[in-house]
Structures are given as structure tokens and as C-alpha cells.
Amino acid sequence: MLIEGLPEYLHEHREEAHTLLRYCLGLGRPFLLQSDLRDALQDVAGEQELPHLADTPLGHTLAVAQEAVLEAPWIYMSVRPRVARWHYLRFHVEAMQLEEISVSEFLAFKERQVTGQDPNAAWMLEVDLGPFNREFPKLKESRSIGRGVEFLNRRLSSQLFHELGKGDQRLLNFLRVHQCQGQQLMLNQRIESVEGLQHALRRADEYLAVQPPEADWDTIGTRLRELGFEPGWGRTVARMRDTLHLLSDILEAPAPRVLEQFLSRVPMIFRLAILSPHGYFGQANVLGLPDTGGQVVYILDQVRALEKEMRRALHEQGLDIDPQIVVVTRLIPEAGNTTCNERLEHIIGTEHARILRVPFRSESGEVVPHWISRFEVWPYLERFSVDVGRELLAELGGRPDLLIGNYSDGNLVATMLAHNLGVTQCNVAHALEKPKYLYSDLYWRDNEDQYHFSAQFTADLIAMNAADFIIASTYQEIAGREDNVGQYESYEAFTMPGLYRVVNGIDVFDPKFNIVSPGADSEVYFPYSQTERRLSGLHDEIHDLIYGPSGEIARGQLAEPGRPLLFTMARLDKIKNIAGLVDWYGQSQALRNAANLLVVAGHVDPANSSDHEEREQIDRVHYLMNEHGLDGQCRWLGVQLDKNMAGELYRYVADRMGAFVQPALFEAFGLTVIEAMASGLPTFATKYGGPLEIIEHGESGFHIDPNHGEAAAGIMADFFERCRREPEYWGRMSLGAVERVKARYTWDLYAERMMTLSRIYGFWKYVTNLERTETQRYLEMFYGLQLRPLSEQVPH
């Protein structure tokens, strides 16, 4: 699709257009990013005194171009005029000719700039999953992305129940397959047809109408069983009748909302397995260790919320069954002072949930004793998935009803397990590596020794396309915004020269995508104003941490302790941009005058870190503190805080009318943002990623651009200055943060939605071809011919 009027503009304003395009070529760079193209447009408009240039069709094209690839006399552009809508153009600058090209041609031209070779000279594998999904229903509007289950219910309920009764029969069959621990649920064999079901529903309703509303199954179950019903319809007569009416309405005239409401009540999920292989997965002494951070906190909080929700649902369904949740991770014999060498560990705050650890094994079958980086786990995962499958069946006493994969490696293991066990699979990415690193796909060979991106990106493609449904924390994670590409969207088309090019990898309009945002643990992260719940016994320790002398775990001693605190807490790696924040603060005299900086990140002594990137960042922070002379205004703590201490620290900072800042270059979601806001801290956070949705700018916090540190520091300095002039302003922002989290980001909301989704996708998988058999066969071939050899190349 060409920008309206572009061909005519190029013809009628040839010299003007030629000047702009030649300027881009004259920059002498093979690739220009979106920001580079906008800068070029602005520069030419200024230098050539063409202020109207941005309002021309060519200016509009450059404004929505995500990237340009240049090799005189050609300029190729990827254009994204709307969210998740892509087109590819090429300009012959000398002839001023324009044409739309295919994604394959665009990617091949990119490859040429890297390899220096004609991409057509040798055959290149193209990955195209589009044909397999041609007949599958897809969303059409960008605003609907991430609302897949709503679309499925609208589209498939209408289609399914109008196939001459086939849908009714499939629904009947579905209701007859449910069992748990040998107990038949919902329907028994007395009901043999849809007509028989409708007749039984009427007779059951007549019987229940004259029973006490609070009576349970023990009281009325004998008669219902004679009619063909089994437990699972509800704990009380009132609940049973309500559920029976929902089913009657579906059989009479199926409506999407009624179908969703009914399916959310069907007892389907009793045993759940969560996969998270890499890092140190434990409940103590693990945060801050390599590859171990927010994902562990997320999963443990998720488990507590899911068990609570499963118990609530089973109780309402009238079933006295204990739900089972197992988090499967890797057993590490050389686990230091963690519990990662224990096979089983009960999860604190739950009744029956536990961590099951299964070791990686070498080719000869020996247990691998040491930790392995998440970038190097690939050779072990196939054997690991087989071992997990065996141990999981034994631990749960049967197949799980749902598998939830986490991160790239966990999602791949979930894919293999789901395939072998025939179980519904949900994926949670947390963060995808490809969008984190500029041109990580194009220059994959340069990163292969350290990151092994070839295996990881291939695993991502397989797991994304194999999953029954995918959970994202925000819309941004899936499809970005008008001016930013989403994490998942970045897998739609890309190339790894010499390996393969992806022309249709993942479609964000697929109804498998759903937005389910996590929350903060409300028992730990609650407003500073709730004084009766505060952990005041920790205040002396917190005071010493913040205001004590420098030492082994701390650098800097605050010379003016009365100033409010600008607080940040994160892993000390490049993407989290802690060093960038220290630099902004050091360069901003206004911010230094307004607040002290409190940093909780990594280690202060680089000798205590085993991670190369972290050691680089430690050295960088030391350099910046020296360069800006920050020891009297910045307190840097190299400590790992347990949850209770972290929660009280947020509130302690709030007591002093401080603020929280999350300066990451990119943040998939932003759990610390949620924690800080829930505690009542006004919060500044990156505009790239999840925080852009979490925070309403100026109402519940502030967005900052990590690429423009001076402006970010100015926003923070202005905030503290306004609070000084208007003390009530701080309170308004604090309350706005608390209310925003309460309305949108709680684990109760998350768990209820996750369980509803698992039931609905399980239903559609049973009654339709949601399994997409053809796609599965293609992915199996891709795994065998691509991922397995790539994994074997990783040193192990």
C-alpha cells in the first residue's frame, strides 16, 4: 500500500524528493532506523528551507517508515502506517521510480548489506506459516489485538452451533469427558443425545425449583444422577439452577458471553504444571543470581493466586477436590546456599503447590551439576522434557490439565510436553530477546558465541505457533504502538542471513493472543498509609541501609538526609539502564538539589559478580559516581532484599515524599513499577514497553524517554519542585498510583482470567481444529531440521 499521492508527488516534485532521498543516501549508512529517517526529514526541511516537507506524501511515508536499507541508487523501506500493518517499498533515487515489493525481496536486500553477496545466488530457506492459517479466523482490527478469546467466542459459537446440530453434539460430548480422581463429572451415560440433554435440563430445573436454594448435592444428587447429571454444576441448588439455565440458553440460541460464562464454570482444571527451567528457581537467596529475577517472583505470586482461584472455583462447582500445581524447573546439585539442589520444595503460602526440580543430563546420561546460562540451555531441553514428562505424571498421578510455559526455554519444553501428553498449552514470554538487541537477527553470527540467538529465535517461532493461547501482560508486548513495534510483532518478518528468512512467522491478529496483566502481592505491597499493616520493626534496619556509612555492600553516604529520595531497584544489566539514571542525575543540578538518589542494584564490588555484563555495569556506575562527585548525594546498595523488606522500603521512601524511577531502555511489563505504585510512590518509568500502559501520564505517574536523559531528569526535577511548592500535589499523584493498580493490576483479576481462558481454549480445542494439525507437522519438521542441529552446536 502506497501513501496516498506519493507517486504523483515524486513525479511533480522530482527535485524536492530527489534532494531528500539523496540526503539519506549521502549519510553513508546501510541501515537507517525510524528516528534516523525523521531526523533526515527535519534536517533537509531546515537546510533547504522546505518547512512543508513533513506534510508531503514523501514526508508522511518517512514518518511511518520503521527502517530503510540503502545501497545507491536504491532505498528500500519497511512502512508501518498502522499498528501491525506492514508494507515494503523501494525507490530508485536517480530514476525517481517507486514500487511496492514483497517482504521476501525486502529481507533479501537487507541480507546483501550484511553478507556483501547476491542473496539470489544461493538458495535460502524461507519460513512461511501463513498458508497453514489461511482458513483460520483472524481478527481484523488493530484495536482488537490481545482480545482473542472474545473474538473466538463470537466467531466460533455462531459457526459451530449452526452446523446442523453438530455443535450441540460436540458440546454434549465435551460435557461427558470430564472426570477427576475416577469421579465422573457433569454428565453420565444416561444422556445419549442433545434432545435427551434438553429434556433432562427441563426435568432437572423443575425438580430443583422446589428444593431449598441452599441445599447441596448430598441432598438432591440422587435424583439428578437418575436424570443423567453428575457433580460439578454448583455447590448449592441456586448455583446449579443458574448453571443449568446457562446451558439451556446456549442450546436454544448460543451467545458468546453466555458461552464464556458457562465454560468458566465447567470443572476442567485440577492439575496444573508451570515450566521455568533456567536460572535458580527457589524461594530464598536466589534473586540477583544469574538469570534469576522478576520471573521467579512472577511465577511464585502467580501460583499462589492460581491455587486460590482454583479452590474458589472448585468450591463453587460443589467439588471437594484439592487442586494440584507443580512448578517444574531445573535441579542444580551445586546450588550454593539455595534450595535448588532439592527435588521437591513446598511453595510457601499455598496448601499443595510445590516446586519439582529435574536435572539436566549430558549425552551419556550423567547429571549436569552446575548452573548453565539461559543462552546455553538448548542442548539439554529435549532430554529434559522427556524426563519432566515422566516425573510429572508420577508427581501429579496423571496428566496435567494445563501447561504454562515461561520464557523461551520454558515455552519450548511446554510445547514438547503438550505434544506428547495432548494437553492445552499456554505460553508466557516475560521478555523476548530479539527486540532487546538492535539487529540481533541480522547480525546473529556476531552474537552466536555468547548468546546463541539462532537457537533461541528458532525456539520462539516454534513455541509461539504451537501454543494454544499466549498470555501477554500488555498490548504493547504484542503489537507495540503507532510508533513502536511490539515484541511479538517483531517475529512476523525477519532474517538471519545464511540460516533462514522468516516471511510470515507470527501473526498478532491470531486469536491465540490475550492480555492478562499480573499484579503485585497485596500482602506485601500495600499503601504506606495503611499504618496498621506496616512492618515498623524493619525501620531501623532500613534507616541504616539508606543513611549508614559506606562499606562492602554500600557506596555513598547522604550528606543531606532530609531531602526526599529518588529510588530505583533493578538488576544491574545494560537493558535496565541503572548506569544511565546515575548519569542523568549527575548531570542535572536541579535534580541533585531536589532529591537524593537511592539505587538498589547488583553488587558494589565487581569481584562478587560472576556475570560479565553485570561487572561491566558495576564498573560503569563507579566511574559515573566518581566523574560527577556523587558520594554525598547518591546511595548505592549492592544487596538483595526479601519481599517484605522491599515492600517496607517502598513505603519508607513514600513516608519521605520520595518517588520511584524505572529507567530501562525497554521493559516488557514492569513489575517493580506495579509494586512501587501499589505502595503509594509516585513513579517515573520508561515509555518503551509495559509501563506506557500501566501509567497514565500526569495522573498515576510519568513516562520518561530513556534515550533523552536530560529531558527525563528535567521531568523528575520539575515534579519535586512542584511538590515543594504544592505539598498536596505529591499526595494526588500517590493516590492516583494506588487507584490505578487496584483497578487494573491485581493477582485476583489475573488468576480468574487465566482460568477462564484455559477452560475456553480447552473447549475450542476439543470441538474444533484449534490444534491446527498441519501447522504442527510443519513445526515438527522445522524442529528436526533446524532447531535440533542449532541446539547441538551450543557448547555443552
Side-chain angles (χ1 to χ4, degrees):
M1 182 197 79
L2 302 179
I3 297 294
E4 185 177 355
L6 181 57
E8 294 80 4
Y9 171 81
L10 294 177
H11 176 72
E12 297 171 5
H13 300 84
R14 181 185 179 93
E15 182 177 351
E16 187 174 279
H18 187 257
T19 299
L20 176 55
L21 294 175
R22 276 190 61 82
Y23 180 87
C24 293
L25 285 175
L27 294 173
R29 294 161 54 187
F31 303 106
L32 295 179
L33 300 175
Q34 181 186 52
S35 57
D36 299 322
L37 292 169
R38 291 180 177 179
D39 289 345
L41 180 63
Q42 186 175 0
D43 291 345
V44 172
E47 292 174 8
Q48 302 297 320
E49 297 184 356
L50 300 170
H52 66 281
L53 195 56
D55 292 326
T56 65
L58 182 57
H60 294 161
T61 300
L62 265 63
V64 297
Q66 292 296 314
E67 177 187 24
V69 187
L70 304 92
E71 182 185 299
W74 293 102
I75 298 179
Y76 284 52
M77 288 186 192
S78 61
V79 178
R80 185 174 175 266
R82 289 181 292 151
V83 168
R85 305 290 188 183
W86 290 85
H87 303 276
Y88 302 90
L89 312 175
R90 70 174 178 181
F91 297 84
H92 190 289
V93 177
E94 297 309 320
M96 290 307 292
Q97 293 180 348
L98 166 69
E99 63 178 310
E100 188 163 7
I101 58 173
S102 68
V103 59
S104 181
E105 291 175 285
F106 177 79
L107 294 175
F109 193 67
K110 285 183 72 172
E111 294 160 14
R112 175 172 171 155
Q113 311 314 309
V114 175
T115 65
Q117 301 172 356
D118 181 357
N120 298 315
W123 181 81
M124 180 76 161
L125 171 64
E126 287 196 348
V127 178
D128 184 359
L129 286 144
F132 296 104
N133 300 317
R134 197 171 286 139
E135 303 301 321
F136 199 82
K138 296 288 180 64
L139 293 86
K140 290 184 171 58
E141 300 297 329
S142 297
R143 67 176 181 273
S144 298
I145 292 171
R147 295 159 55 190
V149 77
E150 298 173 31
F151 171 81
L152 267 186
N153 282 342
R154 283 198 310 271
R155 181 72 177 265
L156 294 186
S157 61
S158 172
Q159 176 183 321
L160 181 68
F161 289 95
H162 286 87
E163 291 183 359
L164 300 177
K166 291 181 182 178
D168 299 346
Q169 185 63 45
R170 291 174 188 170
L171 177 58
L172 171 61
N173 295 340
F174 173 76
L175 292 175
R176 290 166 63 173
V177 300
H178 298 298
Q179 293 183 342
C180 184
Q181 300 174 359
Q183 179 183 8
Q184 180 65 36
L185 303 175
M186 302 303 287
L187 299 180
N188 58 43
Q189 298 303 314
R190 286 188 172 88
I191 297 177
E192 299 178 344
S193 65
V194 175
E195 292 77 10
L197 174 59
Q198 290 174 314
H199 179 68
L201 287 170
R202 287 191 292 270
R203 294 184 65 188
D205 188 48
E206 291 170 359
Y207 169 68
L208 293 176
V210 296
Q211 303 303 314
E214 296 305 314
D216 59 14
W217 182 267
D218 291 339
T219 304
I220 52 83
T222 301
R223 176 58 180 151
L224 288 188
R225 188 170 273 127
E226 291 172 355
L227 293 172
F229 298 96
E230 295 289 339
W233 295 90
R235 181 157 293 273
T236 66
V237 164
R239 180 76 171 186
M240 293 177 206
R241 289 193 72 199
D242 195 33
T243 307
L244 291 169
H245 291 164
L246 289 172
L247 180 56
S248 295
D249 290 345
I250 291 169
L251 295 173
E252 181 73 24
R257 288 191 178 276
V258 176
L259 181 64
E260 178 173 332
Q261 191 176 358
F262 173 72
L263 291 175
S264 71
R265 297 186 179 194
V266 175
M268 295 170 57
I269 311 297
F270 311 98
R271 297 178 292 209
L272 193 156
I274 300 173
L275 286 303
S276 183
H278 76 255
Y280 290 84
F281 197 100
Q283 301 179 83
N285 304 321
V286 298
L287 295 183
L289 294 176
D291 292 343
T292 309
Q295 178 185 332
V296 173
V297 176
Y298 176 106
I299 294 173
L300 291 173
D301 285 346
Q302 176 195 50
V303 167
R304 296 182 185 101
L306 289 175
E307 187 189 68
K308 177 182 174 184
E309 170 60 23
M310 291 168 74
R311 285 191 175 282
R312 183 202 63 78
L314 289 168
H315 178 79
E316 289 191 353
Q317 289 156 358
L319 303 176
D320 297 318
I321 296 172
D322 289 323
Q324 302 289 313
I325 301 180
V326 174
V327 177
V328 183
T329 188
R330 197 197 140 205
L331 185 141
I332 307 173
E334 297 174 2
N337 66 339
T338 76
T339 57
C340 296
N341 58 347
E342 297 179 7
R343 179 181 179 272
L344 275 178
E345 180 181 353
H346 173 74
I347 295 177
I348 298 167
T350 70
E351 295 192 36
H352 294 289
R354 61 266 195 202
I355 301 168
L356 170 66
R357 298 187 179 93
V358 179
F360 285 171
R361 294 185 181 273
S362 65
E363 292 180 3
S364 61
E366 297 177 345
V367 171
V368 178
H370 51 274
W371 166 84
I372 295 172
S373 163
R374 72 180 188 273
F375 298 114
E376 298 174 345
V377 298
W378 307 106
Y380 303 97
L381 295 184
E382 186 171 329
R383 172 74 178 265
F384 179 73
S385 71
V386 174
D387 293 343
V388 165
R390 183 175 57 252
E391 295 208 29
L392 197 55
L393 289 174
E395 185 65 29
L396 289 174
R399 295 185 311 168
D401 301 303
L402 175 67
L403 287 165
I404 302 176
N406 291 273
Y407 200 73
S408 298
D409 51 346
N411 287 331
L412 182 66
V413 174
T415 297
M416 291 187 276
L417 280 172
H419 176 73
N420 293 335
L421 300 177
V423 177
T424 301
Q425 173 193 352
C426 167
N427 284 2
V428 184
H430 295 281
L432 293 163
E433 296 291 337
K434 192 169 83 66
K436 285 185 182 180
Y437 302 86
L438 184 62
Y439 292 130
S440 56
D441 50 352
L442 201 58
Y443 292 99
W444 67 276
R445 292 188 190 279
D446 296 344
N447 298 308
E448 194 67 359
D449 290 344
Q450 181 176 0
Y451 294 121
H452 307 288
F453 281 149
S454 63
Q456 184 161 18
F457 298 169
T458 306
D460 285 336
L461 272 179
I462 291 171
M464 288 175 190
N465 283 284
D468 294 300
F469 66 104
I470 294 173
I471 292 301
S473 298
T474 63
Y475 181 95
Q476 310 257 335
E477 190 179 334
I478 307 171
R481 289 174 61 88
E482 291 292 343
D483 56 350
N484 289 314
V485 178
Q487 288 189 68
Y488 281 101
E489 186 186 1
S490 72
Y491 282 79
E492 180 178 329
F494 65 94
T495 182
M496 291 190 282
L499 188 61
Y500 59 80
R501 73 174 67 110
V502 178
V503 298
N504 195 325
I506 190 71
D507 187 348
V508 296
F509 289 93
D510 193 304
K512 70 172 58 181
F513 286 101
N514 291 273
I515 299 167
V516 185
S517 300
D521 185 343
S522 59
E523 295 299 313
V524 176
Y525 304 103
F526 53 84
Y528 73 99
S529 56
Q530 296 181 9
T531 54
E532 72 284 355
R533 300 177 64 191
R534 297 284 299 270
L535 305 175
S536 56
L538 297 175
H539 286 191
D540 288 345
E541 186 178 349
I542 291 173
H543 182 274
D544 291 343
L545 279 173
I546 299 174
Y547 299 110
S550 294
E552 183 180 349
I553 63 166
R555 176 173 176 179
Q557 185 169 10
L558 302 178
E560 297 187 41
R563 288 179 177 172
L565 294 164
L566 179 61
F567 170 42
T568 191
M569 181 165 58
R571 293 193 316 272
L572 197 55
D573 57 28
K574 188 174 181 180
I575 203 75
K576 294 298 185 183
N577 199 33
I578 298 299
L581 172 62
V582 173
D583 197 23
W584 307 344
Y585 179 82
Q587 293 187 53
S588 173
Q589 194 58 53
L591 186 54
R592 291 173 67 167
N593 290 340
N596 290 319
L597 179 62
L598 173 62
V599 174
V600 178
H603 299 276
V604 173
D605 184 351
N608 292 330
S609 174
S610 59
D611 185 271
H612 174 72
E613 184 176 330
E614 184 181 54
R615 288 196 299 271
E616 286 184 346
Q617 291 299 303
I618 292 170
D619 291 338
R620 176 70 177 158
V621 174
H622 279 301
Y623 169 81
L624 291 167
M625 288 188 69
N626 292 334
E627 181 182 44
H628 297 304
L630 295 180
D631 282 290
Q633 295 176 293
C634 176
R635 177 71 163 178
W636 173 19
L637 297 172
V639 294
Q640 297 299 322
L641 305 177
D642 64 40
K643 289 177 65 173
N644 286 323
M645 177 65 83
E648 195 58 34
L649 178 56
Y650 284 122
R651 291 185 288 272
Y652 191 91
V653 174
D655 289 337
R656 285 145 185 80
M657 296 183 69
F660 183 79
V661 55
Q662 203 266 38
L665 300 175
F666 177 83
E667 183 62 55
F669 178 60
L671 197 54
T672 55
V673 173
I674 296 293
E675 293 169 354
M677 292 172 67
S679 304
L681 269 180
T683 298
F684 304 86
T686 179
K687 64 182 287 189
Y688 297 113
L692 194 60
E693 286 180 43
I694 295 171
I695 291 173
E696 299 165 295
H697 185 74
E699 296 182 27
S700 54
F702 303 90
H703 303 139
I704 56 174
D705 187 340
N707 299 311
H708 295 88
E710 183 178 350
I715 292 172
M716 291 184 277
D718 289 346
F719 168 78
F720 284 112
E721 173 58 24
R722 184 170 177 183
C723 291
R724 187 188 64 78
R725 296 194 317 266
E726 307 171 34
E728 70 279 3
Y729 181 62
W730 187 95
R732 262 201 330 271
M733 295 305 302
S734 172
L735 182 60
V738 171
E739 293 300 320
R740 177 69 171 173
V741 171
K742 188 187 300 183
R744 297 282 294 274
Y745 302 100
T746 71
W747 280 113
D748 286 345
L749 292 172
Y750 174 99
E752 188 278 329
R753 193 60 183 157
M754 173 68 93
M755 288 295 95
T756 296
L757 290 175
S758 64
R759 295 182 185 101
I760 293 172
Y761 280 95
F763 169 73
W764 288 120
K765 184 174 182 177
Y766 182 88
V767 302
T768 70
N769 185 32
L770 275 193
E771 293 192 77
R772 312 185 202 193
T773 307
E774 299 84 358
T775 306
Q776 292 291 344
R777 302 301 293 173
Y778 184 87
L779 295 175
E780 289 170 18
M781 179 182 67
F782 193 44
Y783 177 91
L785 298 181
Q786 281 289 344
L787 182 54
R788 184 179 281 149
L790 290 171
S791 298
E792 291 171 352
Q793 292 172 18
V794 177
H796 59 290

